[in-house]
Amino acid sequence: MGILAYSGIGGQAVMEGVMMKNKERYAVAVRKPDQEIVVEKREYPGLFRNSFVRNLIFVRGVVNFIEAMVLGMSCLTFSASFFEDEGNESEEKGRDKKKESLEMGVTIGLSIVLAVAIFVVLPFYVSLLFQKFIKSGTLVILIEGMVRIMVFVGYIALISCMEDIKRVFMYHGAEHKCINCIEHGMDLTVENVKNSSKEHKRCGTSFLFFVVVITIIATMFIRVDSSLLRLVCRVAIVPLVAGGSYEFIRLAGRSENWLVNALSKPGLWMQGLTTREPDEDMIEVGIASVEAVFDWREYVESIRGKGES
């Protein structure tokens, strides 16, 4: 297990399935109620076609985050379609595509607004309560940061109690295990995947955790008297913080440097909340998704060759 290489593939868990993406190609594998595994393969060139913008440091993190949300919502919608009531099936199939895209855009927009409200605005206003009897601005900011972490962890812990989310977290574990398996030079078999780690340094959970932590650090330098201006500054730095967090996650996925590994540990610990050990059926779905977009045999052979040389 000493070999580690960057495969370039990533993905996410969906309802009873796994999505894997390799460059512009992606596949969603879902286990239907009749236990059949259905695999949908498509291309996703992204929302932003300008290569200069897509590769601009810090900006590319924001672009990647937005595109991942759009693709993720689409994949979730696809996977959910296999578990809807039959009475709604024809209605869903006949839905106008433009209307569906509009609804998805509104949903994503509301999700971003809600996330900012819960993880940025709420902790800020809670900290204002302490400001009335705590004179130290630094201590108030630290309290705000602690509240932000508590809200983040509490939210994940709360939704993990839902039965459907537990299964999504199991598929999340299957996704990570499949990627770890091939990136450590092992054949993509059920047994090898079972023995692989369910934590991965490029995970979205780690990304969100670093967004929270870097936001806490960044707010230390925002020292203005107006409460409203402080709040505006906190919201305004979110894209920059997201860009910085993406750059670290991107580096972590390509490096085995001891410092990078040490800084990655808290994010990996957080994945203990968002991943669960999958069963063999879930692993088979993850393998089907990988094989639809990635030639893992050629990849594994190449990194084994590098290890022997």
Side-chain angles (χ1 to χ4, degrees), residues 8 54 59 86 106 110 145 167 251 271:
R54 294 188 64 85
V59 174
E86 292 184 2
V106 171
L110 289 175
R167 290 191 62 80
L251 171 65
Q271 291 175 40

Side-chain angles (χ1 to χ4, degrees), residues 172 176 198-206 266-276:
H172 190 194
H176 283 186
K198 66 181 180 68
E199 284 81 37
H200 196 282
K201 289 189 290 185
R202 289 189 284 116
C203 175
T205 303
S206 292
L268 296 177
W269 294 334
M270 283 299 303
Q271 291 175 40
L273 294 174
T274 63
T275 59
R276 298 285 188 275

Side-chain angles (χ1 to χ4, degrees), residues 24-294:
E24 294 187 351
R25 295 184 300 150
Y26 74 94
V28 188
V30 178
R31 189 175 289 279
K32 295 165 59 179
D34 62 4
Q35 299 306 304
E36 175 192 358
I37 299 176
V38 60
V39 181
E40 177 87 355
K41 294 189 290 184
R42 293 184 181 178
E43 290 195 0
Y44 180 63
L47 303 175
F48 304 90
R49 306 299 177 87
N50 188 299
S51 59
F52 175 77
V53 174
R54 294 188 64 85
N55 295 306
L56 196 61
I57 191 169
F58 292 113
V59 174
R60 62 189 175 189
V62 180
V63 170
N64 184 275
F65 176 70
I66 294 173
E67 291 184 341
M69 284 196 67
V70 173
L71 178 59
M73 192 68 68
S74 175
C75 293
L76 281 169
T77 302
F78 171 77
S79 65
S81 68
F82 293 100
F83 304 94
E84 293 166 347
D85 294 334
E86 292 184 2
N88 294 329
E89 189 173 342
S90 60
E91 178 185 346
E92 291 295 328
K93 287 183 177 179
R95 179 183 291 178
D96 183 78
K97 290 297 182 182
K98 290 184 179 179
K99 182 180 177 183
E100 186 174 332
S101 298
L102 178 61
E103 289 176 350
M104 188 180 300
V106 171
T107 301
I108 292 171
L110 289 175
S111 299
I112 294 174
V113 171
L114 187 60
V116 171
I118 293 175
F119 299 112
V120 179
V121 179
L122 177 61
F124 173 73
Y125 277 108
V126 171
S127 71
L128 292 183
L129 300 176
F130 291 91
Q131 191 175 1
K132 296 177 180 179
F133 52 88
I134 296 179
K135 300 300 181 182
S136 172
T138 300
L139 184 55
V140 171
I141 291 174
L142 287 174
I143 291 173
E144 177 187 348
M146 290 174 59
V147 172
R148 187 169 285 118
I149 291 176
M150 289 171 61
V151 169
F152 178 64
V153 175
Y155 171 77
I156 295 176
L158 185 63
I159 65 171
S160 66
C161 296
M162 301 168 61
E163 198 59 40
D164 287 344
I165 299 299
K166 286 180 181 179
R167 290 191 62 80
V168 170
F169 285 174
M170 291 172 74
Y171 276 104
H172 190 194
E175 175 223 330
H176 283 186
K177 281 173 168 283
C178 286
I179 296 174
N180 277 320
C181 177
I182 58 177
E183 288 189 339
H184 284 85
M186 297 187 294
D187 289 344
L188 193 63
T189 64
V190 172
E191 192 61 33
N192 285 343
V193 172
K194 283 175 66 176
N195 294 327
S196 299
S197 172
K198 66 181 180 68
E199 284 81 37
H200 196 282
K201 289 189 290 185
R202 289 189 284 116
C203 175
T205 303
S206 292
F207 168 78
L208 293 175
F209 177 77
F210 281 108
V211 168
V212 172
V213 172
I214 296 175
T215 298
I216 295 171
I217 297 172
T219 52
M220 292 286 186
F221 301 94
I222 301 176
R223 300 301 180 100
V224 291
D225 294 332
S226 169
S227 297
L228 179 59
L229 187 56
R230 289 205 304 274
L231 176 59
V232 170
C233 289
R234 279 158 171 71
V235 175
I237 67 171
V238 169
L240 182 61
V241 169
S245 300
Y246 172 81
E247 293 303 326
F248 177 77
I249 294 298
R250 189 172 185 271
L251 171 65
R254 293 166 166 79
S255 173
E256 278 291 84
N257 177 272
W258 69 269
L259 180 59
V260 173
N261 285 341
L263 292 174
S264 298
K265 286 294 184 184
L268 296 177
W269 294 334
M270 283 299 303
Q271 291 175 40
L273 294 174
T274 63
T275 59
R276 298 285 188 275
E277 286 293 337
D279 58 31
E280 291 190 0
D281 287 347
M282 294 174 174
I283 290 173
E284 288 176 357
V285 173
I287 291 174
S289 183
V290 173
E291 291 185 329
V293 295
F294 188 74

